[in-house]
Amino acid sequence: MTIVLASASRARRALLEAAGLEILVDPASVDEAAVKESLAGEGASPAEIAETLAALKGARISLRHPGLIVLGADQVLECEGRCFDKPADVDAARGQLRALRGRRHRLVSSVVALRDGQRLWHHTGEARLTMREFTDDFLENYLAAAGPSALESVGAYQLEGRGAQLFARVEGDYFTVLGLPLLPLLDFLRVQGALGR
């Protein structure tokens, strides 16, 4: 069974394909900044923001793929009451990493499954990460080595690569850190007959 991923995230696609799923990528066009701003203004939690964005992405794509399961996903990074977005450029990535340095933050990842515009299931997972006190020289070397990939994630790091060196501690599900609560999703897909039981 083909699963549609309403996301351009290379990490999410790689996770799903590595788990043996046949994936069709059809990214949703959503003004995430406007939605986040509106939800934050209403006092929404990071989990509510992540779930709302995941559902919105999935809903935008679901009707294009009749009969198929469409997955919308989103991730929110929160540190000391401030939510972070993907950095726009290297200077923004540098600023984010300095703001996170020596602090603990939360990554909230949500996935919503839809079929024919109807919401079938959702799950939101949370991980807590503590960034170590690294030097400015280390930061510059990290950004140079990471290149454009530092701009692809909400935290300006990829835990599955060189970004692991930024951390002192990680608590929670590895897949949630990568942007997709994979194990609960696989359970759901087994129930739907998309995977063997």
Side-chain angles (χ1 to χ4, degrees), residues 12-182:
R12 289 185 186 110
R13 179 182 187 158
L15 285 174
L16 293 167
E17 288 178 340
L21 295 167
E22 183 179 324
I23 300 300
L24 171 65
V25 176
D26 188 359
S29 178
V30 173
D31 185 347
E32 293 187 38
V35 173
K36 286 180 183 179
E37 184 178 330
S38 175
L39 290 170
E42 296 170 8
S45 69
E48 290 167 330
I49 293 169
E51 183 181 333
T52 299
L53 282 166
L56 184 57
K57 291 174 185 179
R60 289 268 167 95
I61 301 303
S62 182
L63 294 177
R64 288 190 212 168
H65 302 280
L68 296 181
I69 293 174
V70 174
L71 303 176
D74 197 74
Q75 184 176 63
V76 174
L77 186 156
E78 181 271 331
C79 182
E80 299 176 359
R82 177 181 169 199
C83 288
F84 290 79
D85 293 316
K86 289 179 186 175
D89 54 34
V90 174
D91 287 337
R94 182 180 295 108
Q96 279 192 220
L97 291 169
R98 283 182 176 149
L100 297 172
R101 177 170 50 190
R103 292 182 174 84
R104 188 175 189 218
H105 65 270
R106 295 189 303 155
L107 282 175
V108 180
S109 296
S110 189
V111 59
V112 175
L114 301 95
R115 181 185 290 125
D116 300 324
Q118 298 298 309
R119 186 170 166 154
L120 304 173
W121 174 88
H122 79 276
H123 182 83
T124 299
E126 181 177 309
R128 295 182 183 271
L129 298 86
T130 304
M131 223 172 247
R132 68 182 184 85
E133 286 281 358
F134 47 80
T135 65
D136 284 340
D137 284 344
F138 177 86
L139 175 59
E140 293 307 318
N141 289 332
Y142 166 75
L143 288 170
S149 69
L151 310 180
E152 294 177 4
S153 70
V154 71
Y157 59 80
Q158 285 77 40
L159 189 68
E160 68 274 27
R162 190 177 295 263
Q165 294 184 39
L166 297 166
F167 291 93
R169 184 176 180 144
V170 176
E171 303 165 77
D173 178 62
Y174 176 72
F175 301 115
T176 295
V177 174
L178 300 186
L180 190 69
L182 184 64

